[in-house]
Amino acid sequence: MHSQAARAAVLGCALLMAAAPSVCADDAPLTLARVYKPGTTYRYRIDAAAIVMGSDVVVERTIKLTVKEMKPNGDAVLLHTDEGGKVNVGGQEQETGAGGPVTMIKDKLGRVVKLTHDASDLSFMPPEAEHLLAIASEWLPPSKAVRAGDAWRSEIDNPAVKGRKLVVKTTLVGAEKVQGADAYRIRQAVDADTDEQGGKMRSEFTMLVDPTTGAELAMEGKVKGLPTQYGPLDMSVKLRALKPDDKAPGPEATPPAS
């Protein structure tokens, strides 16, 4: 169960890529778009916390995201690899090994349309719930240029309840400096039905996005009501991009400069 909880936390942070023009001091409208370059690799540290079957579970993982290919129709094929880490359950900490890869396909609008696990992987939640987690942590771009403070609403197919939509509300909070570099702060909330009996999931994430490289610098947020075999789960998540000098398992890699 411990490794399954870790895998859920990793997938719950399914990773973001965004690109936009340089930060503008005159509050000019900004066109936000997603850009993927095949062969690009990113690495991230994830810290997640939840209560599972009455026990506090704290997970620390390192994951690698590789842009595998771009299809002619604009779909991006992304490979998420869990490189291992630690899990603490009720005060007892142990090392956990790497997990199998997860393939994510996103359409040209940035929507997660498919998730495929390694055949050897097990999960303590249904595939539809994992799909919901991926949607929750993937910001959706607007259909037109926006200014700081603007918000946009999207309705997309709900993978957990056939025939229903889920609501995504995204806001460009503004521009700021992160360690001397420009960044955009984006906030996103997702509301979704999780079953036909009235179950609900809500997520709120704040992301810091590097407008030059298109890579995420950091993310923090919460998911409430995630359906699992142990009942609805509430989880908090933090993510940060790793630099080449960060000590973490696996090969070191950073986003390209252009």
Side-chain angles (χ1 to χ4, degrees), residues 7-150:
R7 290 288 297 156
V10 170
L11 186 60
C13 263
L15 300 173
L16 307 169
M17 294 179 61
S22 299
V23 175
C24 298
D26 59 358
D27 194 33
L30 303 176
T31 301
L32 307 182
R34 294 180 177 274
V35 176
Y36 300 98
K37 182 179 179 181
T40 304
T41 298
Y42 305 83
R43 294 181 68 251
Y44 294 89
R45 155 79 177 268
I46 290 177
D47 294 275
I51 298 177
V52 180
M53 297 182 67
S55 296
D56 291 325
V57 178
V58 179
V59 176
E60 173 190 319
R61 313 295 291 174
T62 301
I63 60 174
K64 180 172 68 174
L65 168 66
T66 302
V67 183
K68 188 175 180 181
E69 66 174 302
M70 291 296 298
K71 294 185 175 295
N73 64 355
D75 286 356
V77 182
L78 311 175
L79 187 66
H80 294 258
T81 305
D82 175 3
E83 297 183 329
K86 302 176 182 178
V87 60
N88 187 309
V89 181
Q92 300 296 314
E93 185 174 276
Q94 66 181 43
E95 300 286 336
T96 54
V102 175
T103 300
M104 175 187 292
I105 298 179
K106 299 173 69 177
D107 67 15
K108 62 182 179 181
L109 299 179
R111 299 173 298 190
V112 180
V113 296
K114 186 176 182 181
L115 290 175
T116 305
H117 279 267
D118 182 87
S120 63
D121 270 1
L122 298 175
S123 178
F124 76 130
M125 70 180 73
E128 296 81 8
E130 294 182 338
H131 197 158
L132 282 177
L133 276 171
I135 291 172
S137 57
E138 295 285 335
W139 75 276
L140 290 177
S143 60
K144 60 182 180 180
V146 293
R147 290 183 169 87
D150 285 349

